[in-house]
Amino acid sequence: MTSPHKIPGVLLAGGLARRMGGGDKPMRTIGGRTILDRVVERLAPQCDGLILNANGDPVRFAAFGLPVIADSVADFPGPLAGILAALDWMAANRPDVSLVLSAAGDCPFLPRDLVSRLHDALVKENAQLAVAASGDQTHPVIGLWSVSLRDELRHALVVEDVRKIDRWTARYRLATVNWPTEPLDPFFNANTVEDIAEAERLAALDESL
């Protein structure tokens, strides 16, 4: 089993941000810093390298110095396509890697123990996949994925048209790890303009913890 210190991460930034009027949600600013900058800051110390999944011109993310990979499945089929692209990239470029962390590019307050707790649960429960949860809500886009399942995921996406993550994860032994939502939900994500205002308040709270 892969050590938690040898797990790379993919930041999923391929969404269309329809509820914000389009554009890249992770590039919105909170407290003078982009959401993506905050995500990178949280995950870089936990992961053995990061890549970014985004569609369109990758130059707009050049300042982050991360490899940018696009979906390999057309028509924006959702985060599973980004996870598949990451698994394929790892198989081609990091053959030593067996597990990959995925995280939403619009979650600025991710836990500092995200990788270690997901990995511990995966091992303890002899699971094939692990996902995060907080309160009574599961966050299936944030989890650990086995590179060995990439062909099965491709079949599910391309042949079966499976789009929902939890529909796919239900086929496997799944570990779910829960985090508290107080003093703030570490998986808060900015989906709307109103969420950005709330994120400003939470950022100040987060920096005081």
Side-chain angles (χ1 to χ4, degrees), residues 13 22 28 48 88 94 106 145 149 152 178 199:
R28 303 294 172 106
D48 182 22
D88 284 341
R94 296 282 305 275
D106 61 352
W145 312 92
L149 296 178
E152 294 176 37
N178 198 72

Side-chain angles (χ1 to χ4, degrees), residues 7-13 39 42-43 46-47 79-80 82-83 100-119 121-122 129-134 137-145 165-166 169 174-179 185-190:
I7 297 175
V10 57
L11 312 181
L12 302 172
V39 175
R42 283 298 166 94
L43 292 184
Q46 302 184 51
C47 292
L80 276 177
I83 292 168
V100 177
L101 173 85
S102 69
D106 61 352
C107 287
F109 312 121
L110 290 167
R112 292 180 172 86
D113 59 355
L114 179 63
V115 176
S116 60
R117 286 196 61 198
L118 287 174
H119 181 264
L122 193 81
L129 307 168
V131 297
S134 58
Q137 183 177 359
T138 301
H139 308 286
V141 76
I142 300 171
L144 288 183
W145 312 92
I165 296 180
D166 49 9
T169 58
L174 178 68
T176 302
V177 183
N178 198 72
W179 273 263
D185 187 339
F187 305 110
F188 171 91
N189 67 318

Side-chain angles (χ1 to χ4, degrees), residues 153-172:
L153 176 53
R154 189 184 339 277
H155 185 274
L157 266 173
V158 176
V159 179
E160 302 175 62
D161 196 34
V162 172
R163 301 296 176 99
K164 294 192 66 176
I165 296 180
D166 49 9
R167 184 180 162 200
W168 187 66
T169 58
R171 304 177 180 186
Y172 302 94

